[in-house]
Amino acid sequence: MNIVIAAVLSSFAILFPLTVGALISEKSGYLSIGLEGYLNLGAFLYFLLQTAMSPFYAFIFSACLLIVFALVFDSYSIIFSVDHFIVGLAINLLVSGLIPILSEQAFGTKGPIFRGESISRYVVQFMSNSTVYGGVRITDIVAMVAGIAGLIFLTKVPRGMYISVMGTNSRALEIAGISITQTRITATIATAFLASCSGVAMVGSLGAWVPNMSSGKGWIALVLVYLGQKSVIGILGSCLLFCLFQAFTMGFQKYSMLMAEFLMAVPYLAITIFIVIFSLKKRK
Amino acid sequence: MHKAAKRIIIASFSLAVLLLVVCVIFSKQPFQVYALFIIKPFTNMRILRTIIENTAPLILCGLGVIVMFRSGNYSLAGEGQVYSAMLGTAVLARYLEIQNFSAGIELVFSIIGGTILAGVMSIPIAIVGSYKRDNVLLISFMLSQAIVFIVDGLIAGPLRDLSNNLVATASFAARLPIISSSFPLSIAPLIAIVATLVQWFFFEHTPSGIMLTLYGRNAVYARLQGYPVWIFSWIPVIIGGLLHGLAGSLIVTASYGRVIRGMSGGIGWNAIGIALIAANKPAFIPLAALLFTWLDTMTQYTSALGYISFTNTIVIKALILLFITSKTTEFHIKKRIPAV
Amino acid sequence: MKELKLRSICKEFHSTKTKALIDVSCSFYAGSIHALVGENGAGKSTLARILAGVEKPDSGNILIDNKEFIFHNKRQAEKAGIGFVPQYPAVAKNLFVFEQLYLGHEPTRFIFTNRKECIRKSHELISTYGFSVDPLKKIADCSASEIREIEILQALSNNINMLILDEPTTVLEKHECAKLFQIIKNLRDSGKIIVYISHRVSEILELADTITILRNGKMLRNVEAHNIAKIELSKIVAGNIKEEKLQFASCNANANSVINVSHVITKEGGAGSLYDITFEVKENECIAIVGADGNGLESLENILTGFEKPKSGLVTYYGKSISSYTIKELYGNILGYVVSDRETRGLCFHESVLYNCLGKKLNTLDYKQCSKKCRQYAAKLMNDFLISGTLQAPIETLSGGNRQRLLLGRVLTENCRILLFANPFQGLDNSSRNLFCKKLVESYIHRKTIILLTNDIDDLYEIPWSKLFVLYRGMLYPYTGSSNSLSMEMLMTGVLHA
């Protein structure tokens, strides 16, 4: 049971802030295709910076750098009239090439780099007969708090409310004298910040940097927003369910003859089947 | 000037400049490496052959992307479809070989089988797309990821050839016929060119092609003109899948004779890139594919020599995507056409 | 604010080369309701938007109590005490009423919205002005009249002294208007300046103290409301119908029924609803339905073309329900349709002029010499209908008038049995309009059935009509010429017998 709880919490700490970021972006009217790239870059920047400074400052600076990166591309999209879908694809591609270059320059390798417990200590450990089965790390708490803060921002803070109004009816903002450009910038900053927190949790959970360690979590976050019907309770539920499903799948690996790859495919297949059935029902 | 021609020029120019920048930053002998990129393909026949050979499957994938994008379906399933077709082809070819079928039959049926497998993979996407095109993006990615995991698992698991250390399926002997022994190129590029011509003709010179293009732009308009919108809502996705499948089958049967884990190598994403460079015009796909394949092949060559690496060229491709799709870089080289 | 003066306001829209306002001057006084009236395109909404700070004038001054103001945005206009309620609702359906009322200037505690304070202030605002809306209700659950009240309250929440209302009753039922009028009168009595834009003469005469009449961007005159006759005002607002130019054709009673609209009712309440619409169109008849915006013309267009299903009632073509036809049968063979919304339905943007010319022709071509035939067809279309442009150029390069000619020409050359035209002559000059009228008459002679839906009386001339109807507030009123005691202008502007 400890293993399952540890796996769920670890997975939730990564996926939850990312999904909130995807929700904010979706509420503002833009699907954040580049979320996968943001996650990977945020994780790498944190890993890179915490080798040179304390984890706290590494988190702050990596978040700031990712926000600047996101704003640059968002501005490019607006100024040069590039479709945000293409910008998102380009971000994902760019990050997948940029990170190995930076990794080689900083660490002399493009491969995995292990740093262990020094990245993030446990706050709560789940143990069984003196064997640690994971737990809650500082980075997990930071990420989950950020996710909750993101939801509070979206629902309780005026600027967050403007984001959801922008996605519903931007004319309402215009009539109320609220700048749409400022609102869009706010949404970009919030999404990038949450992606950064997610990256921090991801690195903290492994204690290492592994190339492509996100494994499509950015895309999963987008799908979870869709499955959660773009509501706060919905995404909480869909996120939790997915993490539970994933944890059971990975836990099942221990007792099953099936290879890890097949089990990793199960959540993706499940989502695909669900969307297909949903579409067939809607057509009727 | 035609939009696609402008994009090819911008892409070529950007590539030339960015490559120079990469060489200067990452290589100790930047100008020698740069010269290698430009001159070597024309002096080394083996490299030229490799470039042309590798362009063929990319052309087919690009054509598959065009069919889907032009119908308004933004599918990202290319990678998974190519990979599944590779596996299907390899497994079927090996099976037919064991059953002592002739090489010709082995090739034909394995290619058809692999292609159809990829087409079948498109059915869930087509179902979702016919209901709501906006959902195609996410479901196609999910399905593609799932397929990649499953194929990886099959290659590393039950289908693995344990006779060597390579994580790959068992090999089969049959290969695509060669066009000429003096310049040993398989028929894959020929198939790709024929496919390009067929698709160019379809989109530019048939009523159905024009209707499909208009449907992709504005489905309501197409409905009001009485076009067969129901067919257009799902068939292009299937055809796109079949083209990706054909690409995967040809990769395996051209030279490898087996599927190695991870062999799809981002071809699905490259195909989207070249479709954007070609502005969704089939006639320009071969040029755009040649550009990317040249870059990849020469990067492989130079990275083996320790000059620059693959990841540098991924950055170049990403930046090219941004440059070519920017509306402000669509300047007119010969004359200005008044803005709307 | 005691007085607001506009001096020599000019505004030109350079993209369409339209002079929206030419040297307009007028004054608005506290404690009065000032109506702005005029035909479509007179400049009323542009003037309102300039006052509200949404648009900037090219020249001229705005003086409030003899002090000059320049508004760069809506916020500045609000700070100067001017509030604006647009014609179509600009509310966010995901918000609560209290959130919408204070959108942009919410009370906060630290950085969070002070929900309790917001609700309290909403209650206070609502009771101060005598409204009855529930601040805890979701906008999505509010009726059209409640949303209108919310928008007015939202403007009032900024402590404004001048309220501009642009066609406020467009989205309201008749019985909801009475309540709104009382609110407006109360606001006037409390000393506010009310600027009221409407095309509904009965409302204008009931509410307004002063009326400013605009025509083609110029101020025609200023009158006291009691100094202008109903029919004169109707003519100005709706456009003056020249009955001598109307032509009527005789109906063949034995002809087969082609279109039958029977007791159609669309969504309940609000803008564009239809109430118990019934009419029949026989073979080779020409019928016209004319109505101002917001009276249900758009809904009728959607019902007749199968885009919207009626809540109740039936629409049949040749005796068969419209929903039982396949897309190819209905749009490919039966119905030729000139859409009112050419931007989203009528044309395919980012594609060439050539492709946009082809339309249904593509259904009849085969692949042999397809390109050549397409080019020939498109070139002939452009030549016959005087469309200036290049075949290979994107459709966006055509001017508005040329796009409309393309739309009309395409439909007139199709071989469809029924022709439905919705605002077909928008953006056309007089000579083009005459050309297309002649083409329409030719189609009529060639035994096609024609339906015209329009908001412009000038579209009715030169074509022999079997029947004419006026659509007002979702109801259909037959019009048979001068023998009718009510003129068309009066029908269109709501001056009806009880």
Side-chain angles (χ1 to χ4, degrees):
Chain A
M1 193 61 192
N2 276 343
I3 300 174
V4 174
I5 295 173
V8 171
L9 282 171
S10 178
S11 195
F12 188 75
I14 298 166
L15 213 45
F16 175 56
L18 199 63
T19 310
V20 174
L23 179 67
I24 289 174
S25 169
E26 175 67 28
K27 286 271 188 190
S28 75
Y30 298 95
L31 195 62
S32 184
I33 305 285
L35 204 59
E36 178 77 2
Y38 289 159
L39 173 63
N40 270 318
L41 187 61
F44 180 77
L45 286 171
Y46 174 70
F47 185 85
L48 176 68
L49 290 172
Q50 59 80 42
T51 57
M53 56 186 78
S54 72
F56 173 72
Y57 286 113
F59 164 57
I60 299 294
F61 282 115
S62 64
C64 290
L65 283 169
L66 189 65
I67 287 168
V68 167
F69 180 86
L71 284 172
V72 162
F73 280 92
D74 207 33
S75 309
Y76 184 87
S77 167
I78 297 168
I79 295 168
F80 293 99
S81 311
V82 183
D83 192 273
H84 71 276
F85 164 73
I86 294 166
V87 171
L89 286 182
I91 287 171
N92 291 337
L93 204 57
L94 185 70
V95 167
S96 70
L98 203 60
I99 288 176
I101 294 171
L102 293 172
S103 181
E104 198 165 29
Q105 296 298 315
F107 303 109
T109 175
K110 292 178 194 170
I113 308 155
F114 182 70
R115 277 182 63 81
E117 286 292 317
S118 59
I119 286 201
S120 183
R121 284 185 231 290
Y122 281 115
V123 171
V124 173
Q125 287 183 354
F126 296 136
M127 302 181 78
S128 173
N129 298 333
S130 79
T131 309
V132 175
Y133 283 118
V136 180
R137 297 174 182 274
I138 299 169
T139 47
D140 294 339
I141 293 176
V142 165
M144 285 194 271
V145 165
I148 293 166
L151 285 178
I152 292 172
F153 171 75
L154 192 61
T155 52
K156 304 286 180 205
V157 175
R159 287 225 169 266
M161 193 173 64
Y162 302 163
I163 292 172
S164 58
V165 171
M166 186 164 94
T168 312
N169 186 359
S170 58
R171 268 188 76 228
L173 286 184
E174 274 178 21
I175 295 296
I178 298 164
S179 165
I180 290 176
T181 307
Q182 274 185 18
T183 308
R184 184 167 166 172
I185 289 170
T186 309
T188 303
I189 291 172
T191 306
F193 175 73
L194 287 162
S196 178
C197 295
S198 197
V200 164
M202 197 162 67
V203 165
S205 71
L206 274 181
W209 164 256
V210 177
N212 291 319
M213 64 199 283
S214 60
S215 301
K217 286 192 178 57
W219 295 95
I220 291 171
L222 296 172
V223 172
L224 291 177
V225 167
Y226 167 78
L227 291 175
Q229 308 265 314
K230 301 177 199 173
S231 73
V232 169
I233 304 291
I235 64 142
L236 260 169
S238 63
C239 210
L240 211 54
L241 267 170
F242 184 85
C243 294
L244 208 62
F245 189 52
Q246 203 171 37
F248 272 117
T249 311
M250 297 317 291
F252 189 62
Q253 186 189 340
K254 199 176 174 187
Y255 306 101
S256 138
M257 299 291 287
L258 286 174
M259 297 186 64
E261 287 89 348
F262 296 136
L263 292 167
M264 279 161 71
V266 168
Y268 295 91
L269 272 178
I271 290 174
T272 304
I273 291 167
F274 179 84
I275 296 176
V276 171
I277 293 171
F278 184 75
S279 301
L280 281 169
K281 277 195 164 172
K282 276 273 180 177
R283 277 182 79 187
K284 282 175 190 165
Chain B
M1 182 180 279
H2 200 286
K3 187 175 171 181
K6 278 181 283 173
R7 283 193 177 183
I8 299 264
I9 291 169
I10 294 167
S12 307
F13 181 71
S14 313
L15 203 153
V17 169
L18 289 167
L19 189 61
L20 184 61
V21 168
V22 163
C23 289
V24 165
I25 295 173
F26 295 104
S27 175
K28 289 185 180 118
Q29 299 151 299
F31 298 106
Q32 285 93 317
V33 174
Y34 194 69
L36 210 62
F37 261 90
I38 309 293
I39 297 166
K40 201 70 179 176
F42 299 103
T43 58
N44 186 322
M45 285 297 115
R46 197 176 61 81
I47 290 177
L48 184 64
R49 187 191 78 83
T50 308
I51 290 173
I52 297 172
E53 196 72 56
N54 290 347
T55 303
L58 188 56
I59 289 173
L60 288 167
C61 288
L63 294 173
V65 169
I66 285 179
V67 165
M68 290 190 289
F69 278 27
R70 269 199 164 192
S71 66
N73 291 292
Y74 294 97
S75 169
L76 304 179
E79 195 73 13
Q81 286 164 340
V82 168
Y83 206 20
S84 64
M86 283 177 173
L87 184 67
T89 303
V91 165
L92 198 51
R94 177 71 184 145
Y95 172 76
L96 291 171
E97 190 176 73
I98 292 169
Q99 301 300 319
N100 292 319
F101 282 96
S102 67
I105 290 186
E106 195 183 310
L107 274 174
V108 168
F109 280 97
S110 62
I111 290 172
I112 291 172
T115 306
I116 290 173
L117 183 63
V120 165
M121 298 293 166
S122 311
I123 292 173
I125 304 168
I127 291 172
V128 170
S130 65
Y131 154 62
K132 199 175 178 192
R133 281 192 290 189
D134 294 346
N135 295 342
V136 164
L137 189 78
L138 293 177
I139 190 187
S140 62
F141 181 82
M142 290 288 125
L143 188 63
S144 182
Q145 277 289 101
I147 293 169
V148 166
F149 282 132
I150 292 169
V151 172
D152 275 343
L154 287 169
I155 293 172
L159 297 175
R160 186 177 174 183
D161 179 11
L162 296 168
S163 64
N164 57 53
N165 290 329
L166 204 57
V167 183
T169 59
S171 65
F172 59 91
R175 296 287 182 273
L176 287 175
I178 306 289
I179 298 172
S180 156
S181 52
S182 53
F183 188 72
L185 208 59
S186 77
I187 59 167
L190 206 63
I191 294 172
I193 297 297
V194 168
T196 304
L197 288 168
V198 167
Q199 198 179 90
W200 165 78
F201 184 78
F202 173 75
F203 277 117
E204 304 298 324
H205 296 283
T206 65
S208 300
I210 298 170
M211 281 195 252
L212 180 61
T213 304
L214 292 168
Y215 166 80
R217 285 282 188 204
N218 188 340
V220 173
Y221 170 88
R223 181 182 163 189
L224 285 172
Q225 304 311 315
Y227 298 161
V229 293
W230 182 73
I231 293 176
F232 289 159
S233 70
W234 60 273
I235 279 216
V237 176
I238 305 288
I239 293 174
L242 290 170
L243 283 165
H244 279 85
L246 182 60
S249 302
L250 292 179
I251 291 172
V252 168
T253 53
S255 49
Y256 291 96
R258 59 174 11 136
V259 185
I260 305 165
R261 188 173 163 152
M263 201 162 121
S264 56
I267 193 173
W269 301 103
N270 279 341
I272 294 173
I274 66 164
L276 289 170
I277 291 174
N280 288 337
K281 297 283 182 194
F284 290 89
I285 281 285
L287 273 173
L290 206 58
L291 211 58
F292 267 34
T293 320
W294 164 74
L295 181 67
D296 284 340
T297 308
M298 291 315 297
T299 307
Q300 246 177 351
Y301 180 78
T302 52
S303 73
L305 296 172
Y307 294 138
I308 59 171
S309 74
F310 242 137
T311 48
N312 305 141
T313 53
I314 293 174
V315 172
I316 292 175
K317 284 178 192 169
L319 292 173
I320 287 173
L321 260 188
L322 288 172
F323 293 155
I324 55 149
T325 50
S326 153
K327 289 190 173 38
T328 24
T329 57
E330 280 183 7
F331 59 89
H332 304 282
I333 294 167
K334 279 193 177 167
K335 61 175 181 183
R336 283 183 68 79
I337 294 173
V340 174
Chain C
M1 189 194 293
K2 292 205 177 73
E3 184 191 19
L4 187 145
K5 276 191 204 157
L6 295 174
R7 271 213 210 122
S8 304
I9 299 288
C10 295
K11 176 74 184 174
E12 184 177 347
F13 291 109
H14 299 286
S15 54
T16 51
K17 295 203 174 91
T18 313
K19 286 198 169 111
L21 292 170
I22 306 167
D23 202 30
V24 170
S25 299
C26 65
S27 301
F28 306 93
Y29 300 98
S32 73
I33 298 174
H34 193 127
L36 292 178
V37 301
E39 297 170 352
N40 279 341
K44 316 181 289 292
S45 290
T46 307
L47 190 63
R49 290 164 69 83
I50 287 172
L51 274 171
V54 179
E55 299 270 4
K56 275 202 289 210
D58 295 334
S59 63
N61 312 101
I62 300 172
L63 296 156
I64 300 176
D65 295 334
N66 291 320
K67 195 174 159 193
E68 189 171 347
F69 281 81
I70 299 169
F71 302 133
H72 294 287
N73 54 48
K74 197 171 171 290
R75 267 274 160 83
Q76 289 182 352
E78 272 169 5
K79 281 201 176 117
I82 301 173
F84 176 55
V85 177
Q87 183 176 2
Y88 293 103
V91 292
K93 290 197 181 291
N94 58 318
L95 295 181
F96 288 96
V97 170
F98 68 89
E99 289 171 331
Q100 180 70 49
L101 290 181
Y102 287 95
L103 187 64
H105 54 281
E106 299 84 358
T108 53
R109 185 186 291 154
F110 307 112
I111 55 163
F112 301 105
T113 309
N114 190 341
R115 207 181 137 102
K116 270 190 189 150
E117 178 65 10
C118 202
I119 294 169
R120 187 195 67 77
K121 284 180 84 168
S122 301
H123 276 300
E124 200 180 300
L125 184 72
I126 290 164
S127 58
T128 302
Y129 290 103
F131 287 66
S132 59
V133 76
D134 178 9
L136 296 172
K137 209 170 169 183
K138 271 247 166 183
I139 298 285
D141 298 330
C142 292
S143 67
S145 68
E146 283 174 322
I147 289 175
R148 197 43 101 195
E149 286 183 40
I150 290 161
E151 287 187 300
I152 293 173
L153 277 168
Q154 187 178 355
L156 291 170
S157 71
N158 288 305
N159 294 318
I160 50 146
N161 300 308
M162 180 181 194
L163 182 65
I164 305 165
L165 298 157
D166 190 354
E167 304 271 8
T169 57
T170 304
V171 297
L172 298 182
E173 292 290 330
K174 215 171 170 180
H175 63 273
E176 292 165 334
C177 293
K179 192 176 170 201
L180 179 69
F181 294 162
Q182 191 52 52
I183 290 168
I184 293 170
K185 285 173 184 168
N186 291 342
L187 289 172
R188 176 203 48 197
D189 295 340
S190 69
K192 306 234 185 277
I193 304 173
I194 309 292
V195 177
Y196 191 89
I197 300 167
S198 178
H199 65 272
R200 293 183 174 156
V201 165
S202 50
E203 293 172 9
I204 294 165
L205 292 175
E206 187 185 333
L207 278 175
D209 302 309
T210 319
I211 301 172
T212 294
I213 301 168
L214 295 168
R215 181 176 286 168
N216 294 329
K218 291 185 184 159
M219 198 191 84
L220 202 60
R221 56 182 168 144
N222 249 353
V223 290
E224 300 298 313
H226 57 265
N227 279 347
I228 187 164
K230 215 183 280 184
I231 189 153
E232 193 187 345
L233 193 59
S234 296
K235 282 184 179 171
I236 289 163
V237 171
N240 195 2
I241 188 160
K242 300 167 190 69
E243 285 195 344
E244 65 278 10
K245 286 177 88 175
L246 277 180
Q247 297 173 42
F248 287 91
S250 55
C251 317
N252 180 0
N254 297 323
N256 295 326
S257 177
V258 169
I259 302 168
N260 208 308
V261 177
S262 173
H263 303 290
V264 160
I265 299 174
T266 57
K267 57 187 180 197
E268 276 186 30
S273 303
L274 298 173
Y275 299 101
D276 200 22
I277 300 289
T278 299
F279 65 90
E280 190 191 16
V281 187
K282 291 187 191 284
E283 203 153 10
N284 199 33
E285 272 192 339
C286 260
I287 80 152
I289 300 175
V290 62
D293 286 341
N295 284 288
L297 215 54
E298 202 183 306
S299 274
L300 187 59
E301 185 186 339
N302 289 337
I303 293 287
L304 288 172
T305 52
F307 272 91
E308 196 182 319
K309 273 197 178 136
K311 201 169 180 302
S312 65
L314 194 62
V315 178
T316 60
Y317 283 8
Y318 296 101
K320 206 169 139 189
S321 167
I322 197 174
S323 53
S324 61
Y325 283 102
T326 63
I327 287 172
K328 188 166 182 181
E329 280 171 345
L330 182 62
Y331 301 115
N333 302 326
I334 293 173
L335 185 65
Y337 168 33
V338 173
V339 301
S340 56
D341 181 5
R342 65 176 177 229
E343 313 297 321
T344 52
R345 291 186 190 178
L347 297 170
C348 217
F349 279 85
H350 308 298
E351 286 300 333
S352 63
V353 172
L354 167 65
Y355 278 14
N356 276 278
C357 285
L358 297 172
K360 290 173 195 176
K361 184 71 180 167
L362 287 170
N363 293 322
T364 59
L365 288 174
D366 60 26
Y367 71 92
K368 287 178 198 160
Q369 294 193 308
C370 169
S371 300
K372 189 177 168 190
K373 285 176 187 164
C374 287
R375 255 192 297 276
Q376 281 171 349
Y377 177 80
K380 185 170 188 301
L381 191 82
M382 291 185 66
N383 191 48
D384 286 349
F385 294 97
L386 310 173
I387 304 163
S388 359
T390 319
L391 281 179
Q392 296 305 328
I395 191 70
E396 295 92 326
T397 56
L398 293 190
S399 67
N402 279 311
R403 289 180 206 175
Q404 196 62 26
R405 274 187 226 122
L406 191 153
L407 263 179
L408 278 162
R410 200 174 65 199
V411 171
L412 285 167
T413 49
E414 285 162 7
N415 207 16
C416 293
R417 294 184 273 172
I418 301 171
L419 299 178
L420 175 72
F421 295 89
N423 288 321
F425 305 132
Q426 53 178 319
L428 292 181
D429 52 42
N430 284 333
S431 59
S432 303
R433 188 190 283 250
N434 290 339
L435 167 71
F436 283 108
C437 283
K438 279 197 189 116
K439 295 282 182 189
L440 258 175
V441 173
E442 277 170 27
S443 302
Y444 166 68
I445 289 168
H446 286 115
R447 305 195 64 78
K448 290 196 198 251
T449 306
I450 298 172
I451 307 172
L452 173 73
L453 305 175
T454 182
N455 58 14
D456 188 351
I457 286 179
D458 288 344
D459 290 351
L460 299 175
Y461 305 134
E462 319 298 345
I463 300 162
W465 303 108
S466 311
K467 292 169 196 157
L468 269 180
F469 295 96
V470 175
L471 189 64
Y472 180 76
R473 281 196 176 279
M475 295 185 74
L476 215 55
Y477 299 91
Y479 179 78
T480 51
S482 53
S483 59
N484 195 322
S485 55
L486 286 172
S487 67
M488 182 167 287
E489 303 93 339
M490 292 174 87
L491 282 168
M492 278 181 72
T493 57
V495 181
L496 301 166
H497 282 305

